[in-house]
Amino acid sequence: MNFLEERIAKDGIVKPGNVLKVDSFLNHQMDISLMDEIGREFHRRFEGSCITKVLTIEASGIAIAYPVAREFGVPMVFAKKSKSINIEGEMYVAEVESFTHKNKNQVIVSKKFLTAEDHVLIIDDFLANGCALQGLISIAESAGATVEGLGIAIEKGFQIGGRVIRNLGYRLESLAIVESMDAQTGTIWFRQQ
Ligand code: 5GP
């Protein structure tokens, strides 16, 4: 097991409905040295790529994307969830359905902060059905930017998102892939990588 799998096995809590709670170290209270290690690990995995920007989605993606951007020495941009409808023009817009809240949000990124010259590394905390990542890919593509790859802290391998993104031909690196989990016993099984 790698450092993140070990931490998930120790402190992750399996909830009914295929939800894994990691709010004691990643989603609410944050273990900063773990975040730094995540940043170093994504930097190691994408070192050969020319990254000019790290792109994520608020709120929980920010904590992961921040140390990654620091390792690469580039800005981090996060897509904002927006309720207003009249935002086109200055903004790239995508619609994202939330796995945890089951509602749809428009997410926006200012055109000032993403351009056709950018080579983007997309980062998020979880991958379930892939809606958040597809929204971020669509924003990067609207800008004409190049998606160099996608980095996920925890992929739930029993949901379709990972397969969808890999089948689209993107390089997707997940630090931990949960193969299955049992809400009754709390047991979590990881995919061998
Ligand atoms: P997707 O868009 O891939 O269906 O879901 C990814 C988003 O939903 C992530 O940004 C994450 O915030 C949230 N999410 C999905 N599954 C889980 C989960 O099991 N636990 C937590 N804490 N968040 C999740």
Short mmCIF file of all heavy atoms in Angstrom, two decimals, residues 143-189:
data_model
loop_
_atom_site.label_atom_id
_atom_site.label_comp_id
_atom_site.label_asym_id
_atom_site.label_seq_id
_atom_site.Cartn_x
_atom_site.Cartn_y
_atom_site.Cartn_z
N ALA A 143 -11.07 26.79 -23.79
CA ALA A 143 -9.99 27.79 -23.81
C ALA A 143 -8.97 27.49 -24.90
O ALA A 143 -8.08 28.30 -25.16
CB ALA A 143 -9.30 27.82 -22.44
N GLY A 144 -9.06 26.30 -25.50
CA GLY A 144 -8.05 25.90 -26.49
C GLY A 144 -6.78 25.41 -25.83
O GLY A 144 -5.75 25.23 -26.48
N ALA A 145 -6.83 25.21 -24.51
CA ALA A 145 -5.64 24.76 -23.77
C ALA A 145 -5.42 23.27 -24.01
O ALA A 145 -6.33 22.55 -24.42
CB ALA A 145 -5.84 25.02 -22.27
N THR A 146 -4.19 22.82 -23.73
CA THR A 146 -3.87 21.40 -23.87
C THR A 146 -3.99 20.72 -22.52
O THR A 146 -3.42 21.20 -21.53
CB THR A 146 -2.41 21.24 -24.36
OG1 THR A 146 -2.27 22.03 -25.55
CG2 THR A 146 -2.05 19.80 -24.64
N VAL A 147 -4.74 19.63 -22.46
CA VAL A 147 -4.84 18.86 -21.21
C VAL A 147 -3.69 17.86 -21.20
O VAL A 147 -3.68 16.90 -21.96
CB VAL A 147 -6.21 18.15 -21.09
CG1 VAL A 147 -6.26 17.31 -19.82
CG2 VAL A 147 -7.35 19.17 -21.10
N GLU A 148 -2.71 18.11 -20.32
CA GLU A 148 -1.53 17.22 -20.26
C GLU A 148 -1.84 15.95 -19.48
O GLU A 148 -1.19 14.93 -19.69
CB GLU A 148 -0.36 17.95 -19.59
CG GLU A 148 0.22 19.07 -20.43
CD GLU A 148 1.01 18.55 -21.65
OE1 GLU A 148 1.47 17.39 -21.64
OE2 GLU A 148 1.16 19.33 -22.61
N GLY A 149 -2.81 16.05 -18.57
CA GLY A 149 -3.16 14.87 -17.79
C GLY A 149 -4.11 15.23 -16.68
O GLY A 149 -4.43 16.41 -16.48
N LEU A 150 -4.55 14.19 -15.97
CA LEU A 150 -5.47 14.39 -14.86
C LEU A 150 -4.95 13.60 -13.65
O LEU A 150 -4.53 12.45 -13.81
CB LEU A 150 -6.88 13.92 -15.23
CG LEU A 150 -7.48 14.61 -16.46
CD1 LEU A 150 -7.32 13.75 -17.70
CD2 LEU A 150 -8.93 14.95 -16.25
N GLY A 151 -5.00 14.23 -12.49
CA GLY A 151 -4.52 13.58 -11.27
C GLY A 151 -5.63 13.57 -10.23
O GLY A 151 -6.23 14.60 -9.93
N ILE A 152 -5.89 12.37 -9.67
CA ILE A 152 -6.96 12.20 -8.70
C ILE A 152 -6.36 11.60 -7.44
O ILE A 152 -5.52 10.70 -7.52
CB ILE A 152 -8.03 11.24 -9.28
CG1 ILE A 152 -8.79 11.92 -10.41
CG2 ILE A 152 -8.97 10.72 -8.23
CD1 ILE A 152 -9.70 13.04 -9.99
N ALA A 153 -6.77 12.10 -6.28
CA ALA A 153 -6.29 11.48 -5.04
C ALA A 153 -6.94 10.11 -4.88
O ALA A 153 -6.26 9.10 -4.77
CB ALA A 153 -6.58 12.39 -3.85
N ILE A 154 -8.29 10.07 -4.90
CA ILE A 154 -8.99 8.80 -4.65
C ILE A 154 -9.99 8.52 -5.76
O ILE A 154 -10.98 9.24 -5.91
CB ILE A 154 -9.73 8.84 -3.29
CG1 ILE A 154 -8.77 9.26 -2.16
CG2 ILE A 154 -10.35 7.47 -2.99
CD1 ILE A 154 -9.46 9.55 -0.82
N GLU A 155 -9.70 7.49 -6.53
CA GLU A 155 -10.64 7.04 -7.57
C GLU A 155 -11.46 5.89 -7.01
O GLU A 155 -10.91 4.97 -6.40
CB GLU A 155 -9.86 6.58 -8.81
CG GLU A 155 -10.74 5.97 -9.89
CD GLU A 155 -9.93 5.51 -11.12
OE1 GLU A 155 -8.80 6.01 -11.33
OE2 GLU A 155 -10.44 4.64 -11.85
N LYS A 156 -12.77 5.95 -7.19
CA LYS A 156 -13.60 4.82 -6.83
C LYS A 156 -13.75 3.97 -8.09
O LYS A 156 -14.54 4.27 -8.98
CB LYS A 156 -14.93 5.30 -6.27
CG LYS A 156 -14.73 6.00 -4.89
CD LYS A 156 -16.03 6.33 -4.21
CE LYS A 156 -16.73 7.42 -4.96
NZ LYS A 156 -18.03 7.80 -4.38
N GLY A 157 -12.93 2.91 -8.13
CA GLY A 157 -12.79 2.12 -9.36
C GLY A 157 -14.03 1.35 -9.75
O GLY A 157 -14.13 0.88 -10.88
N PHE A 158 -14.97 1.24 -8.82
CA PHE A 158 -16.21 0.51 -9.12
C PHE A 158 -17.26 1.44 -9.74
O PHE A 158 -18.36 1.01 -10.06
CB PHE A 158 -16.77 -0.15 -7.84
CG PHE A 158 -16.90 0.79 -6.68
CD1 PHE A 158 -18.05 1.54 -6.51
CD2 PHE A 158 -15.85 0.96 -5.78
CE1 PHE A 158 -18.16 2.43 -5.46
CE2 PHE A 158 -15.95 1.85 -4.72
CZ PHE A 158 -17.12 2.59 -4.56
N GLN A 159 -16.94 2.72 -9.90
CA GLN A 159 -17.82 3.64 -10.62
C GLN A 159 -17.19 3.96 -11.98
O GLN A 159 -16.01 3.70 -12.20
CB GLN A 159 -18.09 4.88 -9.77
CG GLN A 159 -18.93 4.52 -8.55
CD GLN A 159 -19.25 5.69 -7.64
OE1 GLN A 159 -18.60 5.88 -6.62
NE2 GLN A 159 -20.24 6.46 -8.00
N ILE A 160 -17.98 4.52 -12.88
CA ILE A 160 -17.57 4.50 -14.29
C ILE A 160 -16.55 5.58 -14.70
O ILE A 160 -15.97 5.51 -15.76
CB ILE A 160 -18.80 4.63 -15.23
CG1 ILE A 160 -19.58 5.92 -14.91
CG2 ILE A 160 -19.68 3.42 -15.16
CD1 ILE A 160 -20.54 6.31 -16.02
N GLY A 161 -16.36 6.58 -13.83
CA GLY A 161 -15.57 7.76 -14.23
C GLY A 161 -14.19 7.45 -14.78
O GLY A 161 -13.79 7.98 -15.82
N GLY A 162 -13.46 6.57 -14.11
CA GLY A 162 -12.09 6.26 -14.53
C GLY A 162 -12.05 5.68 -15.93
O GLY A 162 -11.22 6.06 -16.76
N ARG A 163 -12.98 4.75 -16.18
CA ARG A 163 -13.02 4.11 -17.50
C ARG A 163 -13.37 5.13 -18.58
O ARG A 163 -12.78 5.17 -19.65
CB ARG A 163 -14.03 2.96 -17.50
CG ARG A 163 -13.76 1.94 -18.56
CD ARG A 163 -14.52 0.63 -18.37
NE ARG A 163 -15.15 0.46 -17.08
CZ ARG A 163 -16.47 0.29 -16.91
NH1 ARG A 163 -17.27 0.28 -17.95
NH2 ARG A 163 -16.97 0.10 -15.70
N VAL A 164 -14.34 5.99 -18.28
CA VAL A 164 -14.77 7.00 -19.26
C VAL A 164 -13.60 7.92 -19.63
O VAL A 164 -13.31 8.14 -20.81
CB VAL A 164 -15.95 7.83 -18.70
CG1 VAL A 164 -16.25 9.04 -19.58
CG2 VAL A 164 -17.19 6.97 -18.55
N ILE A 165 -12.90 8.42 -18.62
CA ILE A 165 -11.82 9.38 -18.89
C ILE A 165 -10.65 8.71 -19.63
O ILE A 165 -10.10 9.26 -20.58
CB ILE A 165 -11.31 10.01 -17.56
CG1 ILE A 165 -12.46 10.74 -16.83
CG2 ILE A 165 -10.13 10.94 -17.80
CD1 ILE A 165 -13.03 11.94 -17.50
N ARG A 166 -10.30 7.47 -19.21
CA ARG A 166 -9.20 6.77 -19.89
C ARG A 166 -9.59 6.42 -21.33
O ARG A 166 -8.78 6.52 -22.24
CB ARG A 166 -8.79 5.52 -19.11
CG ARG A 166 -8.08 5.87 -17.80
CD ARG A 166 -7.56 4.64 -17.04
NE ARG A 166 -6.92 5.06 -15.79
CZ ARG A 166 -7.53 5.05 -14.59
NH1 ARG A 166 -8.76 4.61 -14.48
NH2 ARG A 166 -6.90 5.49 -13.52
N ASN A 167 -10.87 6.05 -21.53
CA ASN A 167 -11.31 5.73 -22.90
C ASN A 167 -11.30 6.96 -23.80
O ASN A 167 -11.21 6.83 -25.02
CB ASN A 167 -12.73 5.13 -22.88
CG ASN A 167 -12.70 3.69 -22.42
OD1 ASN A 167 -11.63 3.06 -22.37
ND2 ASN A 167 -13.86 3.15 -22.07
N LEU A 168 -11.41 8.14 -23.21
CA LEU A 168 -11.32 9.36 -24.02
C LEU A 168 -9.88 9.63 -24.46
O LEU A 168 -9.61 10.53 -25.24
CB LEU A 168 -11.86 10.57 -23.24
CG LEU A 168 -13.40 10.62 -23.04
CD1 LEU A 168 -13.77 11.72 -22.05
CD2 LEU A 168 -14.11 10.85 -24.37
N GLY A 169 -8.95 8.84 -23.90
CA GLY A 169 -7.55 8.95 -24.32
C GLY A 169 -6.68 9.83 -23.43
O GLY A 169 -5.52 10.07 -23.75
N TYR A 170 -7.22 10.27 -22.31
CA TYR A 170 -6.43 11.12 -21.41
C TYR A 170 -5.56 10.28 -20.49
O TYR A 170 -5.91 9.15 -20.14
CB TYR A 170 -7.35 12.00 -20.55
CG TYR A 170 -8.08 13.04 -21.37
CD1 TYR A 170 -9.41 12.88 -21.70
CD2 TYR A 170 -7.40 14.17 -21.83
CE1 TYR A 170 -10.08 13.82 -22.47
CE2 TYR A 170 -8.06 15.11 -22.60
CZ TYR A 170 -9.39 14.94 -22.91
OH TYR A 170 -10.05 15.87 -23.67
N ARG A 171 -4.45 10.86 -20.09
CA ARG A 171 -3.60 10.22 -19.08
C ARG A 171 -4.18 10.55 -17.70
O ARG A 171 -4.21 11.72 -17.30
CB ARG A 171 -2.17 10.75 -19.19
CG ARG A 171 -1.30 10.15 -18.12
CD ARG A 171 0.15 10.54 -18.25
NE ARG A 171 0.86 10.06 -17.08
CZ ARG A 171 2.00 10.56 -16.66
NH1 ARG A 171 2.58 11.54 -17.30
NH2 ARG A 171 2.57 10.07 -15.58
N LEU A 172 -4.64 9.54 -17.02
CA LEU A 172 -5.26 9.72 -15.70
C LEU A 172 -4.44 8.96 -14.67
O LEU A 172 -4.22 7.76 -14.81
CB LEU A 172 -6.70 9.19 -15.73
CG LEU A 172 -7.43 9.04 -14.40
CD1 LEU A 172 -7.62 10.39 -13.72
CD2 LEU A 172 -8.79 8.38 -14.61
N GLU A 173 -3.96 9.69 -13.65
CA GLU A 173 -3.19 9.07 -12.57
C GLU A 173 -3.99 9.20 -11.28
O GLU A 173 -4.30 10.32 -10.86
CB GLU A 173 -1.85 9.79 -12.39
CG GLU A 173 -0.90 9.65 -13.55
CD GLU A 173 -0.11 8.34 -13.53
OE1 GLU A 173 -0.05 7.68 -12.48
OE2 GLU A 173 0.43 7.99 -14.60
N SER A 174 -4.30 8.08 -10.66
CA SER A 174 -5.00 8.10 -9.38
C SER A 174 -4.07 7.53 -8.32
O SER A 174 -3.51 6.45 -8.50
CB SER A 174 -6.27 7.26 -9.45
OG SER A 174 -7.14 7.80 -10.43
N LEU A 175 -3.92 8.25 -7.20
CA LEU A 175 -2.97 7.79 -6.18
C LEU A 175 -3.51 6.56 -5.46
O LEU A 175 -2.74 5.70 -5.05
CB LEU A 175 -2.68 8.92 -5.18
CG LEU A 175 -2.11 10.20 -5.78
CD1 LEU A 175 -1.63 11.13 -4.68
CD2 LEU A 175 -0.97 9.91 -6.75
N ALA A 176 -4.82 6.51 -5.29
CA ALA A 176 -5.44 5.32 -4.68
C ALA A 176 -6.68 4.99 -5.49
O ALA A 176 -7.47 5.88 -5.80
CB ALA A 176 -5.81 5.60 -3.23
N ILE A 177 -6.82 3.72 -5.84
CA ILE A 177 -8.04 3.29 -6.54
C ILE A 177 -8.76 2.28 -5.63
O ILE A 177 -8.23 1.21 -5.34
CB ILE A 177 -7.75 2.66 -7.91
CG1 ILE A 177 -6.95 3.64 -8.79
CG2 ILE A 177 -9.05 2.25 -8.60
CD1 ILE A 177 -6.63 3.13 -10.19
N VAL A 178 -9.94 2.68 -5.18
CA VAL A 178 -10.74 1.80 -4.33
C VAL A 178 -11.47 0.82 -5.26
O VAL A 178 -12.26 1.24 -6.10
CB VAL A 178 -11.73 2.60 -3.48
CG1 VAL A 178 -12.64 1.66 -2.69
CG2 VAL A 178 -11.00 3.56 -2.55
N GLU A 179 -11.19 -0.46 -5.08
CA GLU A 179 -11.82 -1.49 -5.93
C GLU A 179 -13.23 -1.79 -5.43
O GLU A 179 -14.17 -1.89 -6.20
CB GLU A 179 -10.96 -2.75 -5.89
CG GLU A 179 -11.21 -3.73 -7.00
CD GLU A 179 -10.90 -3.15 -8.38
OE1 GLU A 179 -9.74 -3.23 -8.81
OE2 GLU A 179 -11.83 -2.61 -8.99
N SER A 180 -13.34 -1.90 -4.11
CA SER A 180 -14.67 -2.09 -3.51
C SER A 180 -14.60 -1.70 -2.05
O SER A 180 -13.51 -1.58 -1.47
CB SER A 180 -15.14 -3.54 -3.67
OG SER A 180 -14.26 -4.40 -3.01
N MET A 181 -15.77 -1.48 -1.47
CA MET A 181 -15.82 -1.14 -0.05
C MET A 181 -17.14 -1.62 0.53
O MET A 181 -18.13 -1.72 -0.18
CB MET A 181 -15.58 0.36 0.18
CG MET A 181 -16.42 1.29 -0.64
SD MET A 181 -15.79 2.97 -0.51
CE MET A 181 -17.29 3.89 -0.93
N ASP A 182 -17.09 -1.93 1.83
CA ASP A 182 -18.24 -2.53 2.48
C ASP A 182 -18.68 -1.63 3.63
O ASP A 182 -17.95 -1.45 4.61
CB ASP A 182 -17.82 -3.93 2.99
CG ASP A 182 -18.97 -4.70 3.59
OD1 ASP A 182 -19.94 -4.06 4.06
OD2 ASP A 182 -18.91 -5.94 3.58
N ALA A 183 -19.88 -1.07 3.48
CA ALA A 183 -20.35 -0.11 4.49
C ALA A 183 -20.66 -0.79 5.82
O ALA A 183 -20.62 -0.14 6.87
CB ALA A 183 -21.59 0.61 3.96
N GLN A 184 -20.91 -2.10 5.78
CA GLN A 184 -21.26 -2.77 7.05
C GLN A 184 -20.03 -3.06 7.90
O GLN A 184 -20.03 -2.83 9.10
CB GLN A 184 -22.02 -4.06 6.75
CG GLN A 184 -23.47 -3.72 6.43
CD GLN A 184 -24.37 -4.93 6.39
OE1 GLN A 184 -23.94 -6.02 6.03
NE2 GLN A 184 -25.62 -4.71 6.73
N THR A 185 -18.97 -3.55 7.24
CA THR A 185 -17.76 -3.88 8.01
C THR A 185 -16.75 -2.74 8.00
O THR A 185 -15.81 -2.73 8.78
CB THR A 185 -17.07 -5.13 7.41
OG1 THR A 185 -16.69 -4.79 6.06
CG2 THR A 185 -17.98 -6.33 7.41
N GLY A 186 -16.93 -1.79 7.06
CA GLY A 186 -15.98 -0.69 6.93
C GLY A 186 -14.72 -1.06 6.16
O GLY A 186 -13.77 -0.28 6.10
N THR A 187 -14.71 -2.26 5.57
CA THR A 187 -13.50 -2.71 4.86
C THR A 187 -13.38 -2.03 3.50
O THR A 187 -14.37 -1.82 2.79
CB THR A 187 -13.54 -4.24 4.66
OG1 THR A 187 -13.98 -4.83 5.87
CG2 THR A 187 -12.18 -4.78 4.27
N ILE A 188 -12.13 -1.68 3.14
CA ILE A 188 -11.85 -1.03 1.86
C ILE A 188 -10.79 -1.85 1.14
O ILE A 188 -9.75 -2.16 1.72
CB ILE A 188 -11.33 0.41 2.09
CG1 ILE A 188 -12.36 1.25 2.85
CG2 ILE A 188 -10.97 1.09 0.76
CD1 ILE A 188 -11.82 2.56 3.41
N TRP A 189 -11.06 -2.21 -0.12
CA TRP A 189 -10.08 -2.95 -0.92
C TRP A 189 -9.55 -2.04 -2.02
O TRP A 189 -10.33 -1.33 -2.67
CB TRP A 189 -10.71 -4.19 -1.57
CG TRP A 189 -11.07 -5.26 -0.58
CD1 TRP A 189 -10.28 -6.28 -0.14
CD2 TRP A 189 -12.33 -5.43 0.09
NE1 TRP A 189 -10.96 -7.07 0.76
CE2 TRP A 189 -12.22 -6.57 0.92
CE3 TRP A 189 -13.55 -4.72 0.09
CZ2 TRP A 189 -13.27 -7.01 1.73
CZ3 TRP A 189 -14.59 -5.16 0.89
CH2 TRP A 189 -14.45 -6.30 1.70
#
